[in-house]
């Protein structure tokens, strides 16, 4: 379906055309019409499906055709991570290129004063991570009383990151008369509860079946002993002449260690995780996108929202503890119709994690033993500890702040009552 048939304004269609999109993706086809009609929407769609445009385009259209309330914040997008926030902010600017709206992106780990200055000048759209938004709300540096439209992007991830209490506090402070859109890759009981509390008679849209990765991703498991994973990874990158590969580790420490080892192997590598400053993360990502760095090692949270067209290779150096994270990880490749390969290096300790993933996917993944790297059958499984994982334990309504993606190293708490710089 072409964008013209969706009822979007000429200014928005022009911006879409300039982006080079010809056809609306399924989530765009399904979401845009009800959002334009003012309905609440509950959408099951993962990244890579075009979901950002599916809420950004009609959001801009609604602002364009709604009440004239210039330079007051009328639309709020809540998103779990800085990277996603930055990308949504870019989408708002791109798709709104021919509209007069101003947007501000606010997230932690960077100066709050710059954000305050921008907010003072006036903004129509705010894209924010929950923690920093609450900071602004508590300091009285943002006025949300004119909000007409709220988007909760990647709501499942916000729950996983322990943002539930923050989200509830934010939503409670918004006008009741508003349109609310909730996007989530998965629909757990908690998401349903959140939807029941925040949305009114929503139109439900389900683009992917639960946990199903996009078509076009070739998924392969390479069984290997734990101590030989790094060697095998270097071998695969070299033998396959991979020029751009995103590698996932479970921990920040693991990401640093692996990045160093790969550098020692002669592969240009960068690492991104929550202990790196925002500037370092942005630089690493830019170098990776530009092809200056061949390998990017990332933890789950830091990689969230990385959007690279045609990223051909994603490697699970270690399998995630939570099977849904596998789907999120491999969703970095084969985006918007391109094909890609997701390779998992799996040692004997991780067989249970692999079984959990296969149960979620409802499919058995292909195993391929690489010559010279067959696992030693004498090695017995040891439990995979969660000790240094980036993922905080799931909290039901707990107010704890997520441990990842928060405070860049070297940055200390502010003296204010909110100790964490979030996302
Ligand atoms: P998202 O799911 O929002 O993360 O988007 C995934 C990628 O698809 C982004 O790089 C978008 O720029 C791109 N994209 C979004 N909509 C379309 C479309 N209709 N046609 C082609 N590419 C698109």
């Amino acid at each position: 379906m072409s964008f013209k048939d969706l009822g979007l304004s000429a200014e928005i269609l022009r911006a879409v055309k300039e982006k080079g999109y010809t056809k609306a993706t399924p989530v765009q086809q399904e979401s845009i019409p009800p959002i334009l009609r003012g309905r609440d929407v509950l959408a099951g769609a993962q990244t890579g499906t075009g979901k950002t445009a599916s809420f950004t385009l009609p959001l801009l259209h609604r602002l364009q055709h709604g009440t004239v309330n210039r330079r007051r914040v009328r639309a709020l997008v809540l998103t779990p991570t800085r990277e996603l926030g930055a990308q949504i902010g870019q989408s708002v600017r791109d798709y709104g290129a021919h509209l007069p709206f101003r947007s501000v992106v606010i997230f932690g780990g960077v100066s709050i004063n710059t954000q305050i200055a921008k907010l003072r000048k006036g903004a129509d759209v705010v894209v924010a991570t929950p923690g920093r938004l609450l900071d602004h709300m508590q300091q009285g540096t943002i006025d949300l009383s004119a909000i007409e439209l709220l988007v909760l992007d990647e709501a499942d991830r916000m729950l996983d990151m322990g943002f539930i209490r923050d989200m509830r506090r934010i939503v409670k402070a918004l006008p009741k008369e508003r349109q609310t859109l909730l996007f989530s890759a998965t629909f757990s009981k908690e998401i349903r509860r959140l939807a029941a509390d925040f949305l009114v008679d929503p139109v439900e849209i389900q683009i992917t079946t639960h946990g199903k990765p996009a078509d076009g991703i070739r998924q392969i498991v390479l069984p290997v002993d734990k101590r030989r994973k790094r060697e095998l990874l270097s071998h695969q990158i070299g033998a396959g002449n991979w020029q751009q590969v995103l590698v996932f580790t479970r921990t920040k420490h693991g990401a640093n260690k692996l990045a160093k080892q790969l550098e020692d192997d002669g592969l240009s590598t960068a690492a991104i995780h929550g202990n790196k400053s925002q500037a370092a993360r942005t630089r690493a990502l830019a170098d990776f996108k530009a092809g200056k760095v061949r390998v990017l090692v990332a933890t789950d949270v830091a990689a969230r929202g990385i959007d690279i067209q045609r990223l051909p290779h994603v490697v699970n150096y270690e399998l995630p503890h939570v099977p849904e994270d596998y789907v999120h990880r491999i969703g970095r490749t084969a985006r918007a119709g391109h094909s890609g390969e997701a390779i998992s290096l799996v040692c004997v300790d991780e067989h249970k994690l692999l079984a959990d993933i296969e149960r979620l996917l409802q499919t058995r993944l292909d195993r391929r033993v690489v010559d010279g790297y067959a696992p030693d059958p004498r090695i017995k499984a040891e439990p995979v500890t969660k000790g240094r994982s980036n993922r905080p334990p799931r909290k039901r309504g707990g107010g704890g702040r997520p441990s990842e993606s928060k405070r860049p190293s070297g940055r200390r708490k502010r003296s204010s009552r909110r100790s964490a710089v979030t996302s």
Side-chain angles (χ1 to χ4, degrees), residues 1 3 16 19-28 45-57 84 87-88 91 94-95 153-154 305-310 331-332 335-338:
M1 187 189 277
F3 281 97
V16 166
K19 285 287 283 182
Y21 305 161
T22 46
K23 270 173 42 194
T25 66
V27 67
Q28 291 162 358
Q46 60 199 61
T47 42
T49 55
K51 74 173 168 61
T52 312
S54 77
F55 62 77
T56 310
L57 298 173
L84 263 171
Q87 265 168 24
I88 296 168
S91 295
D94 288 348
Y95 303 137
D153 181 41
E154 308 224 350
I306 289 182
D307 182 14
I308 298 162
Q309 293 285 334
R310 298 167 197 267
R332 305 296 103 208
R335 290 164 83 76
H338 299 299

